[in-house]
Structures are given as structure tokens and as C-alpha cells.
Amino acid sequence: MIKKILGIAIFLSLALTACENNSFVQTNIDLATRQIGMELDGMKAKGKWLNPVTLKADGSVHYCGYSDWRSGFFPGSLWYLYEMNGDTAFLTAAKALTAKIEKGKTLTWHHDVGFIIECSYGNALRLTGEQYYAGVIVEAAKSLSTRFREIPGVIQSWNVNGNSWQAQRGWECPVIIDNMMNLELLFHATRLSNDSTYYKIAVSHADRTLQEHFRPDGSCYHVIDYSIENGTVRHRQTAQGYADESAWARGQAWAIYGYTVCYRETKDRKYLEQAVKTFRFMKNHKNMPEDLVPYWDMDAHKIPNEPRDASSAAIIASALYELSTSPVESPGAYKEYADRIMKSLASPAYLAPVGTNGNFLLMHSVGSIPHNSEIDVPLNYADYYFLEALQRKRNIEE
Ligand code: GLY
């Protein structure tokens, strides 16, 4: 009898959790549909497709062109929303905005082709199966591969000629941890083309980054500068973090996400172990706030009076949902942590009321404090990874 009552109680509690999860996901899909729908209505009124990135100091929306590293995120968000809400107005917009950045496949002067094309064209191919999208992905991988430097065995992130701020730092071949996010495009291109060149470049980059970017505690540097001539490390520094030796929050997030993808694509456990190690570093950090939305840099000197970075939280949440389906110890704990992040991000502290925040979803992200740029603002990549996390949460729970 007692066993029967216990069984019924467990069943009811599981059913209740399933209902709560379902309603959390649906509520947020509905809110995002209304908020981004208002952005699309605005474009309709103006008669042109625009690619929103963030809010400017005067409160107006900053829109970007195809070569901006963030140009794939809004189209990608539209694909995720279409997938979750089935509304063909989002499909039309996703197709139009994806087509608008096709020239991104030809970019060879920076490393962000992976972000640009995989978030937009990668999702387009996944959801439509149209082979035209596959062609763009392979061409983009070809462009990204031109930045591979044989001797250090890495993809160069930034150019160091001309008058750019990167050129003034004295670097030869700078590689930023963010670059791990471009590898998904290369893995994808090998699957589509059967040309293993892209896969090999991705693995070489991931291996050298594993060797050079990480500290014994699992955290990572932002920039490693290599010698083009002999491949040695010239500098270990930061560009967007608080200090060379600090833990820039989004950098840690890129590392967790990037190595999770590398594990998915290669099944090499050392990548999974690095993703877990960097996640544990963040999770156990003395400055991780209770709501799990990191400060922009975990070592910034005025904590707790430093801006948070919702984009880092969203990237980590999305990666954790994937980790929770990987062969890790206690996978459920990864999902539980991701759910806690999502609960914070979906709270009024971070999720903007519909019709505010320039029609972006999340508030309180940081672009680059050292460059005095985009501080405590909405950012389209925070929204993109929030929606991706929502989609992953929904898939896992279904
Ligand atoms: N470079 C990409 C970022 O700011 O995270």
C-alpha cells in the first residue's frame, strides 16, 4: 500500500515538473514571438529588411551589414523562433535576412565567418534541407580555411596590419578563445562535402588552443599570440577582459560551448573534459552571483558593483543543455544548472517587457568594457543563445 502511494506521489510530482517546464518554455516562446514580431513589424513599415545588433547610446537600434561578426545572430534567432512557433512570417523573414548576408561566405579578413554563416545558414539547412544553404556553408569554410597558419597550427583571428586597434598591440598571429566557435562551420562543411581538410584544420586549432589557452584551474586566456615563423607563443593577453590574467566571462562561455561542439563532432573525450573543467571553474568561482548570470569579468575589481553579462549566461546555458546529453558524470546536474540560468534570464531582472528594450529580448549584456563599447545593453547574440537554449531545453524535455 505504502509503495503504491509513494508511486502515485512520484508520478504526480514528475507530471507537475513536466507541466511547469512546458509552460516555462511556451511562455518564453510566446513572449519572444511578440517582441521579435514587433521588430519585424517595424521593418515592414520601413519597407526593408534590417539586421539589429544592439541599442546605441541615444536609444536607437544599431543595424549591421553582412561583414559584422554579429550578422548571423538575428537571422539565426528568426530560424529558432520559426522552429518553435511555426509562424510562416518568421520563416519569410528568416529566409530574407539569411539571403541578405550571403556575401559573408567570401570573408577572409577576419575569423568570424563561422559565427556569421553557421548561425544563419546552418539553421536554414537544418530546418529546410535546401541544398543551396549547404553550398554556402562549404564556401564559407573555404574562406575561413585561408586563415589557417600551418606552423602554429591555428586559424588567425584578427589581422594585424593597417590602423586597427589590433595592429597597435604588436601581435603577429593573434588567436582569441572566441575562435573556438568558428569550428562548427568547418566540421559541418566536411560532413557536407566529404572534404576532410576542414575537419583537420578544426582539430588542429582545437588541439593547439587546448594546449595554450588554458590555465591549470580550467579558466582561459582571451588572446594567445603565436609566432608565424616558428609557432611559439609570443604573448598571453586579453583584449576584452579586465586583465591578462583575469577570467573574462564570455571567453569562458565560448570555451565551454566550443569544446562541447568539438566533442560532439569528434567524440574525443579530451574536449569534453575541457568543457567540463571550464564550466566547473565558473560554477565554483567565488564571484559567481546567486542568479548565475556572471559579471562581465569574474575578476573585475569593483565586484559586486560591476556590470553583468547576460550573453555569457545564455551561451553557458545552451552549452550545458548539450553537455547534459553527453557522457558526463551526473548529466542531470548540467540540465538543472542550465534551467536555473534560464529561470534568471527569463525573470524581469533580465527579460525585457514586450515593446521595450528596442525589441531585443534580454537586457544587461556587455560588448567590450576596455573599448568602452556596448556596456549594459541588449545584444543580439545574447538573444540568439537564449533562444537556442530554449529550443534545446524544449527538445530535451519533450
Ligand atoms: N568577439 C566576440 C565577443 O565579443 O565575444
Side-chain angles (χ1 to χ4, degrees), residues 112 234 251 256 273 281 310 312 316 369:
D112 292 311
R234 299 177 72 241
I256 297 167
E273 280 155 21
F281 167 84
S312 306
I316 293 172
I369 287 192

Side-chain angles (χ1 to χ4, degrees), residues 18-196:
C19 274
E20 274 167 15
N21 284 340
N22 196 10
S23 101
F24 175 92
V25 169
Q26 198 50 52
T27 302
N28 284 291
I29 294 172
D30 293 345
L31 280 171
T33 298
R34 285 169 56 210
Q35 183 75 315
I36 307 276
M38 286 181 74
E39 182 60 29
L40 295 182
D41 289 344
M43 291 181 204
K44 212 176 198 177
K46 287 181 194 149
K48 55 184 171 190
W49 294 115
L50 296 163
N51 199 335
V53 175
T54 185
L55 280 183
K56 296 193 255 190
D58 65 6
S60 61
V61 176
H62 169 67
Y63 297 101
C64 73
Y66 76 92
S67 66
D68 190 299
W69 79 273
R70 301 157 299 184
S71 70
F73 294 120
F74 187 71
S77 292
L78 295 172
W79 285 112
Y80 276 128
L81 270 172
Y82 165 63
E83 183 177 12
M84 292 189 283
N85 67 19
D87 182 338
T88 52
F90 283 77
L91 174 63
T92 305
K95 281 186 170 176
L97 275 150
T98 298
K100 227 182 149 198
I101 59 167
E102 183 175 343
K103 263 173 90 182
K105 70 184 179 188
T106 62
L107 286 169
T108 55
W109 61 268
H110 63 60
H111 69 149
D112 292 311
V113 197
F115 274 118
I116 294 171
I117 297 298
E118 192 58 28
C119 298
S120 53
Y121 282 79
N123 279 310
L125 179 62
R126 185 175 63 81
L127 291 172
T128 69
E130 285 173 28
Q131 286 313 294
Y132 145 72
Y133 294 123
V136 174
I137 289 168
V138 175
E139 211 173 323
K142 218 171 271 175
S143 299
L144 180 57
S145 301
T146 65
R147 300 188 66 77
F148 184 62
R149 307 293 176 246
E150 292 278 351
I151 296 174
V154 292
I155 299 163
Q156 182 169 344
S157 291
W158 293 322
N159 286 356
V160 288
N161 49 5
N163 293 320
S164 66
W165 63 266
Q166 289 97 332
Q168 334 237 308
R169 297 285 302 256
W171 294 324
E172 242 176 69
C173 175
V175 173
I176 58 175
I177 191 67
D178 325 26
N179 205 342
M180 287 301 301
M181 299 296 286
N182 292 309
L183 305 186
E184 192 168 8
L185 173 84
L186 299 178
F187 288 122
H188 198 175
T190 283
R191 273 190 277 114
L192 294 172
S193 66
N194 280 326
D195 181 347
S196 62

Side-chain angles (χ1 to χ4, degrees), residues 292-308:
L292 310 183
V293 178
Y295 293 99
W296 69 281
D297 189 305
M298 300 305 277
D299 302 304
H301 69 305
K302 288 193 204 133
I303 287 175
N305 300 314
E306 294 278 358
R308 303 294 191 88

